[in-house]
Amino acid sequence: MLLYQELTLPSGQKYSQPLGLFINNEFVPSSNGSVLITENPGTGKVITSVQAADPVKDVDRAVKCARKAFKSWKSVSLIEKREMFFRLAQLVQDNIDLLSQVESLDSGKPVKTNAREDVEAVADTLKYLAGWIDKTGGDAFSPAKGKLCYTLHQPLGVVGCIIPFNFPLSMMSWKWTAIAAGNTTVFKSAHQTPLSILVFAELVARAGFPQGVFNVVSGQGDSVGTALVRHLGVDKIAFTGSTRVGQLIQRNASVNLKPVTLECGGKSPIIVFEDADIDEAVKWAAFGIFYNMGQICSGTSRCFVQRSRYEEFLIKLVAFTKESFPVGAPEDPDSVVGPQITRDQQIKVFSYIKGAISQGCRIILGGPELPNIIADDERHNGGFYVGPTILADAEPHYRVVQEEIFGPVLSVGQFDDYEDAMRISNDSQYGLGASVFTQSIAQAHQFADEVESGMVWINSSNELDYHMPFGGVKMSGHGRELGKYGLLNFTNVKAVYVNYCKL
Ligand code: NAD
C-alpha cells in the first residue's frame, strides 16, 4: 500500500501527498487495508485514495496513543507549548501555496479567492490560540476567615474532533483549541476532503509537537466517526457537521456520558428594513450566501425585505451578484464560485431550486442547470457546478426557506413591519446566525435581543472574529467554539475547598 504519492496540482506543481493515517507523528497503513477515494469536484475525476482507518483497531490505536501523550503533554511547559503553536503557524504560512492548492483540489474552493484565505485563517487561529495557552486559569476567593476556594480549569483528556468538508483546514484549526487547553486529540477528517489535513499533519510533526498530541484517522462517518464517538477512551467529542449527524453523535456519546459540542446546520435570516442602506445590504446579502459556494453553516440563506424597498433590492442584488460572483474552475484566479462538493450535492441543490419554482418562487438569477463557467474548456466537463441562484417571492413556509440547502441559493421574500420580521426570523428549527439591516439603533438592538440565534450581525453578515464565540441554539447545536467560551468547552472546572482553621 502507498503511504505517499506524487500528485500534480492543476498549476502543474508536483508534491508528495501523504496517504496514511497519522498516528504518533507518522503515517501508517490501515490495519484492514481499506481505502477512501477522493475526487476533484472541479472535474468529477478521482484524485487518489487515502488509507481508511479500521473502525476498531485503528481508532483504538489512535486513541491509545493520544491517551499516552496526554500525560506527557501535561508536563510540557506553557511557554514551550506556545512556541510550538507559533512555529506551526509559521510553517503554515511558509507552505501557504501548497496548502491552498491541495485544499482547493480536494474541496473545489477557488484557490485564490477562497482556499488561500482559509489557510491564512489557519495560521491566524493558531497564533490566536497560542495566546490562550497560559490563560486557562480559574478563580480564587476567600468566603470566610480560614477558608479559601479556588477553581482549576483542567484539560479533559482525549478529545475526538470531527470536521466537515466545507472548511476542512479552518474548521480543523478551530478545534486546536482543545490542544491549547491541554488536551490531546484524534481528528476525523470529512470523508470528501481527506487530503489537506494530512499535508498539515506533516507540519505538526515538524513544529515539534510530541507524538500522539494530534492524530488523524480518515474514513467514513458511519464507521470511523461512530467508533470514535463511542470509544470509552475518548473524553469529549467536538463535532462540526449536519444536524442529522449531530443527533446521532449526541446519542452515541451517551455511552460514557462524554460531553459533546455540536456545531450543526443553519438557516440564518437576513432582514432588511426600509430605512437600511440598500446598497450595503445587497453586498452583504450576496456575500452571506454565495461565498464558499453557499456551503456555509451560518450562511444567510433566507432574506426578507420590507415591502417598500423589495423590488429595488432585487434589481440591485441581481446586478451585484452577476458582477461579483463569477463561476469558475477552482484553479482559475478569477473564479469566486467553484463547484459543489459532490455530484449528489449538485443534484440536491438543483432539486431544491425546481421545488421552489413549483411552490411559487420566481427565479431571477441562476437556476437548476449548469451555469456558464469563465474560461471554460473541456477539462472542467464533469464538475459539480451550480451558479448563484436567487429565488424571489419566497414565502416563509416554502421548503427552500425552511430547510438547509447548503448551496448558492438565496430565497428572498417580503415583510410588513418589525413584528412580522421577527416572527419570520424565528420561524425556523435552526438558530445559528441572524443578520439585520437598519439605521435605527433601537430596532437593531431589539432585533439582536429577540432573535433566536447564537450570533447576530448588525449591518453585515457572516463576519468572524476569533475573540467571539461561534455557535448556535435550537437544532443548530450547542456549545461554542473560539473566544474564551470556546476554550472553556475543553476544560473541566474543578472546585477546590481549602480549610485552614480548626473547628
Ligand atoms: P456531515 O454531518 O455529513 O459530516 C460531518 C462529519 O461527520 C464528517 O467528518 C463525516 O464523515 C462525519 N460523520 C458522518 N456520519 C457520522 C456518524 N454517524 N458519526 C460520527 N461522524 C459522522 O456534514 P458535512 O456534509 O460534512 O458538512 C455540512 C454540514 O455541516 C452542514 O449541515 C453545515 O451547516 C454544517 N456545518 C456547521 C458548522 C457550524 O459551525 N455550526 C460549520 C460548518 C458546517
Side-chain angles (χ1 to χ4, degrees):
M1 96 296 307
L2 276 175
L3 290 182
Y4 288 89
Q5 185 183 5
E6 186 177 83
L7 293 182
T8 307
L9 292 159
S11 65
Q13 182 183 335
K14 292 189 190 313
Y15 79 105
S16 174
Q17 171 65 51
L19 304 174
L21 310 170
F22 187 72
I23 299 177
N24 257 356
N25 279 4
E26 41 175 37
F27 292 102
V28 295
S30 159
S31 54
N32 67 10
S34 61
V35 293
L36 182 72
I37 292 171
T38 184
E39 55 187 20
N40 176 349
T43 60
K45 297 206 174 88
V46 169
I47 305 169
T48 185
S49 49
V50 299
Q51 297 288 300
D54 180 276
V56 180
K57 289 191 198 146
D58 295 325
V59 170
D60 189 53
R61 180 158 53 137
V63 171
K64 285 193 172 131
C65 289
R67 171 67 53 200
K68 193 167 166 221
F70 178 55
K71 289 199 186 108
S72 48
W73 186 233
K74 269 202 276 195
S75 61
V76 175
S77 81
L78 299 182
I79 293 170
E80 273 181 86
K81 284 182 178 169
R82 199 174 54 208
E83 289 309 311
M84 285 178 209
F85 269 67
F86 280 130
R87 275 202 300 275
L88 182 56
Q90 187 58 51
L91 282 167
V92 169
Q93 262 160 350
D94 295 346
N95 289 276
I96 192 163
D97 280 338
L98 176 63
L99 284 166
S100 359
Q101 287 187 74
V102 176
E103 189 78 320
S104 167
L105 176 73
D106 211 15
S107 70
K109 283 168 179 280
V111 68
K112 183 158 174 247
T113 58
N114 182 319
R116 201 177 170 91
E117 287 175 14
D118 281 14
V119 180
E120 271 162 16
V122 171
D124 286 347
T125 306
L126 290 167
K127 284 189 243 170
Y128 169 73
L129 291 173
W132 274 116
I133 287 173
D134 58 1
K135 298 176 191 68
T136 53
D139 304 315
F141 69 102
S142 174
K145 192 167 174 358
K147 308 274 183 193
L148 171 67
C149 294
Y150 63 91
T151 53
L152 287 174
H153 290 191
Q154 296 185 315
L156 297 164
V158 177
V159 178
C161 301
I162 302 180
I163 47 182
F165 73 80
N166 61 334
F167 290 93
L169 282 178
S170 67
M171 287 294 107
M172 174 213 65
S173 70
W174 290 14
K175 292 184 181 3
W176 269 72
T177 311
I179 299 176
N183 303 279
T184 55
T185 55
V186 178
F187 278 73
K188 198 205 83 62
S189 51
H191 50 279
Q192 307 92 331
T193 51
L195 297 184
S196 57
I197 194 171
L198 298 177
V199 177
F200 173 85
E202 284 197 313
L203 306 181
V204 174
R206 277 173 57 194
F209 282 86
Q211 293 182 338
V213 169
F214 171 78
N215 303 278
V216 183
V217 288
S218 312
Q220 292 291 346
D222 52 1
S223 52
V224 179
T226 303
L228 187 60
V229 175
R230 293 185 66 84
H231 200 293
L232 298 179
V234 173
D235 301 291
K236 170 172 177 129
I237 292 290
F239 169 76
T240 303
S242 63
T243 294
R244 184 191 66 79
V245 173
Q247 288 174 305
L248 286 174
I249 284 178
Q250 183 151 332
R251 202 173 308 147
N252 283 333
S254 69
V255 65
N256 62 343
L257 282 189
K258 58 171 73 74
V260 293
T261 303
L262 300 179
E263 297 283 0
C264 297
K267 195 77 199 176
S268 305
I270 176 164
I271 299 296
V272 182
F273 284 99
E274 61 191 1
D275 67 345
D277 179 332
I278 293 291
D279 293 331
E280 279 296 299
V282 158
K283 288 181 205 159
W284 285 104
F287 168 74
I289 184 63
F290 298 131
Y291 185 70
N292 207 46
M293 290 65 76
Q295 300 168 149
I296 318 171
C297 53
S298 51
T300 31
S301 51
R302 52 191 181 110
C303 178
F304 286 87
V305 184
Q306 204 158 7
R307 269 181 216 288
S308 61
R309 309 293 297 275
Y310 181 64
E311 289 302 335
E312 174 194 355
F313 180 87
L314 291 181
I315 291 166
K316 288 181 168 171
L317 181 65
V318 169
F320 179 75
T321 306
K322 266 189 191 162
E323 189 189 316
S324 309
F325 291 88
V327 183
E331 64 271 25
D332 189 325
D334 295 326
S335 162
V336 179
V337 180
Q340 297 288 290
I341 187 69
T342 56
R343 169 86 58 220
D344 283 354
Q345 181 61 15
Q346 180 197 37
I347 293 168
K348 182 178 138 190
V349 178
F350 284 159
S351 127
Y352 267 111
I353 299 171
K354 288 178 196 155
I357 303 165
S358 60
Q359 269 195 302
C361 279
R362 179 166 49 106
I363 293 189
I364 55 173
L365 187 69
E369 58 278 321
L370 273 179
N372 290 332
I373 299 171
I374 46 171
D376 193 15
D377 62 40
E378 76 277 2
R379 281 178 307 153
H380 307 117
N381 291 344
F384 313 138
Y385 294 94
V386 177
T389 296
I390 303 174
L391 302 166
D393 306 343
E395 294 292 336
H397 66 276
Y398 286 0
R399 276 189 71 201
V400 278
V401 179
Q402 288 295 326
E403 296 176 20
E404 185 183 47
I405 302 172
F406 222 54
V409 180
L410 177 62
S411 39
V412 191
Q414 308 181 53
F415 67 89
D416 292 318
D417 53 20
Y418 178 87
E419 280 67 36
D420 199 21
M422 187 50 65
R423 183 186 54 75
I424 291 169
S425 297
N426 288 341
D427 178 19
S428 172
Q429 62 170 324
Y430 297 110
L432 194 51
S435 164
V436 61
F437 281 82
T438 176
Q439 298 295 322
S440 158
I441 293 175
Q443 189 162 247
H445 288 292
Q446 189 181 352
F447 181 91
D449 179 37
E450 294 179 353
V451 75
E452 293 164 3
S453 71
M455 298 169 287
V456 179
W457 299 281
I458 296 174
N459 293 329
S460 76
S461 171
N462 275 279
E463 286 197 291
L464 179 78
D465 189 289
Y466 308 121
H467 302 83
M468 295 290 277
F470 190 100
V473 296
K474 296 161 83 175
M475 296 296 268
S476 291
H478 51 77
R480 292 293 179 269
E481 294 203 298
L482 301 176
K484 74 173 178 203
Y485 300 96
L487 200 78
L488 286 176
N489 273 316
F490 290 108
T491 58
N492 169 37
V493 182
K494 187 184 274 179
V496 183
Y497 292 80
V498 184
N499 174 36
Y500 54 94
C501 69
K502 292 198 164 66
L503 272 180

